Amino acid sequence: MIHMTADPNPAQTSPQPAPGRPLVEITNVDKHFGEFHALKDITLTVHHGEVVVVIGPSGSGKSTLCRTINRLETIDNGTITIDGKVLPEEGAQLAQLRSDVGMVFQSFNLFAHKTILENVTLGPIKVRKLGKADADALAMDLLTRVGVEHQAQKFPAQLSGGQQQRVAIARALAMKPKVMLFDEPTSALDPEMINEVLDVMVELAQDGMTMVVVTHEMGFARKAANRVAFMADGEIVEVAEPETFFTAPRSERAKDFLSKILTH
Ligand SMILES: Nc1ncnc2c1ncn2[C@@H]1O[C@H](COP(=O)(O)OP(=O)(O)O)[C@@H](O)[C@H]1O
Ligand SMILES: [Mg+2]
């Protein structure tokens, strides 16, 4: 499936691939934890500018899949390429490729003893070698984009969960990643804060960011996803456009899963 979208990172110095080209290519990936087969022959391509929502029961391997994409977990078999480059085992090249992948987790993981502004400027200064003034300007732009610019001088504990998660998104964006991974970014939030985070993510998608999003928020999937990948027992069971997946799932496992989450 090819999606024509605008260049999501015009400020980036490295040339961007043509729209619609594969950006993340996961090919025949296996992952074991001891005897336990956590990822079974996973093959999935995420194209430049595409949003893929990953959905499935707890324990099906969604977080493990996200973690393999930026090498927080090693893989046993198969390959993962980011923008045509195979993820290496370790070393400086790994650090470089990893910084192409932004990640937002369920818990916000902000540095408690640093201000909101410092949380966002830390990566650009340390890894991207930006000067402080440039890093501050970039951070303020991003904090404005996610709607928390007035909190810049506060500490994380002074912000609501929804605000902290928006800061976590700004912090990931500050590294100018080529792809953003979200692992259940709203599942630790109070219900009234979920939409303010999803709205930021929808805008990001509309701006052309390539995204892999683990979430059960069907409203988000319908609004922003190009495809839904359904996982169960370590496998990708089916991949479909959101409307097709939610209204006419093909597999019994997807039907069963949807009947459980839809009855509430
Ligand atoms: N570090 C680990 N060591 C052992 N088992 C793990 C580890 N991480 C995940 N698992 C197991 O792998 C399976 C998939 O986990 P996970 O990817 O977190 O699922 P999901 O995110 O879909 O809920 C689960 O059975 C989990 O217990
Ligand atoms: Mg998980």
Side-chain angles (χ1 to χ4, degrees):
M1 192 186 344
I2 306 286
H3 298 281
M4 305 301 282
T5 47
D7 185 340
N9 290 328
Q12 207 155 290
T13 47
S14 57
Q16 286 289 305
R21 259 184 47 185
L23 184 51
V24 180
E25 282 186 283
I26 303 164
T27 311
N28 302 122
V29 164
D30 278 286
K31 170 72 186 174
H32 290 79
F33 293 109
E35 294 289 296
F36 181 72
H37 202 169
L39 295 179
K40 298 172 184 164
D41 196 25
I42 298 285
T43 294
L44 179 69
T45 299
V46 182
H47 301 87
H48 187 71
E50 192 178 26
V51 177
V52 174
V53 160
V54 180
I55 191 168
S58 177
S60 55
K62 306 180 299 295
S63 293
T64 304
L65 180 63
C66 281
R67 292 168 59 79
T68 59
I69 294 175
N70 66 353
R71 248 344 189 148
L72 292 171
E73 298 283 1
T74 57
I75 56 177
D76 305 334
N77 282 308
T79 54
I80 299 177
T81 64
I82 309 282
D83 212 3
K85 297 191 198 86
V86 178
L87 269 183
E89 292 283 321
E90 54 192 19
Q93 214 204 336
L94 174 59
Q96 175 57 47
L97 276 187
R98 197 179 261 162
S99 68
D100 286 339
V101 181
M103 186 139 182
V104 176
F105 301 90
Q106 180 176 334
S107 54
F108 329 121
N109 304 118
L110 298 176
F111 293 110
H113 58 286
K114 290 191 187 296
T115 65
I116 296 306
L117 185 68
E118 288 166 346
N119 264 280
V120 180
T121 58
L122 194 66
I125 290 171
K126 288 237 153 120
V127 180
R128 298 283 194 216
K129 307 297 178 201
L130 233 58
K132 186 178 179 311
D134 286 343
D136 282 353
L138 170 68
M140 285 311 300
D141 270 357
L142 290 169
L143 290 172
T144 303
R145 187 167 167 191
V146 302
V148 291
E149 68 277 21
H150 301 302
Q151 320 297 328
Q153 299 308 328
K154 292 186 183 167
F155 288 89
Q158 296 173 278
L159 272 59
S160 71
Q163 289 174 324
Q164 289 188 57
Q165 194 61 308
R166 286 184 281 149
V167 173
I169 293 171
R171 181 179 58 175
L173 290 174
M175 299 296 283
K176 302 209 191 292
K178 292 180 178 170
V179 54
M180 287 279 285
L181 310 180
F182 294 85
D183 190 359
E184 304 208 30
T186 60
S187 52
L189 296 176
D190 291 332
E192 73 273 20
M193 293 171 187
I194 290 175
N195 280 336
E196 68 190 46
V197 173
L198 292 177
D199 287 348
V200 166
M201 293 167 60
V202 169
E203 273 175 35
L204 206 52
Q206 286 168 346
D207 287 348
M209 177 56 81
T210 307
M211 295 163 62
V212 176
V213 183
V214 179
T215 185
H216 294 169
E217 295 289 341
M218 287 184 291
F220 173 81
R222 283 204 154 105
K223 237 184 262 174
N226 299 107
R227 291 184 296 157
V228 172
F230 173 70
M231 287 188 76
D233 300 323
E235 292 175 88
I236 293 182
V237 176
E238 64 181 278
V239 180
E241 291 183 6
E243 214 48 50
T244 308
F245 177 75
F246 291 121
T247 56
R250 289 192 309 271
S251 65
E252 284 309 313
R253 281 188 287 187
K255 284 177 195 164
D256 181 55
F257 175 74
L258 286 174
S259 73
K260 282 175 184 146
I261 64 168
L262 291 175
T263 50
H264 295 290

